[in-house]
Amino acid sequence: MTRFLIEATYTHEGLRGILKDGGSGRVEAVRKMAESVGGHLQSFDFSFGDRDTHVICDLPDHKAAAAVALAIGAAGGATTRTIVLLSPEEVDEAVHRAVEYRAPGV
């Protein structure tokens, strides 16, 4: 499983839904969404600022994450930004990979 951070900003329509169903209703909907693509909801937090929510999900692959983003966007209640999260161990593996690269102009 790959971990993804999904940041969402609610539209006016989405905010009306929050007022109607509350925060717990949103968490349950997102939990079901993650499970529907073979994933798992790790955390769901509301926040102040540019983004209204920060959700961390374990999803099977990038295609599942794309399906989630498309479904949320098509529903019209929020816009999202999806970020792939790497564990420290994954970064350790990346550090030890040989990479052939030449900087521009060198």
Side-chain angles (χ1 to χ4, degrees):
M1 291 271 187
T2 302
R3 284 187 321 139
F4 294 89
L5 168 63
I6 303 170
E7 298 177 325
T9 302
Y10 290 114
T11 63
H12 289 114
E13 180 180 319
L15 291 171
R16 283 192 292 273
I18 295 291
L19 290 172
K20 178 182 175 204
D21 298 334
S24 298
R26 243 346 44 218
V27 173
E28 189 54 34
V30 171
R31 181 183 322 285
K32 287 180 182 177
M33 176 194 64
E35 291 172 354
S36 76
V37 295
H40 171 76
L41 175 65
Q42 273 195 10
S43 65
F44 185 117
D45 294 288
F46 289 92
S47 60
F48 296 121
D50 293 342
R51 307 289 180 191
D52 296 317
T53 64
H54 294 81
V55 174
I56 297 179
C57 292
D58 291 316
L59 299 175
D61 51 38
H62 292 97
K63 294 173 284 209
V68 163
L70 290 166
I72 294 169
T79 58
T80 62
R81 182 171 96 166
T82 303
I83 301 164
V84 178
L85 300 175
L86 300 170
S87 70
E89 294 79 18
E90 289 171 311
V91 172
D92 289 346
E93 288 180 32
V95 165
H96 292 99
R97 284 210 178 163
V99 177
E100 200 172 308
Y101 174 73
R102 181 185 61 80
V106 176

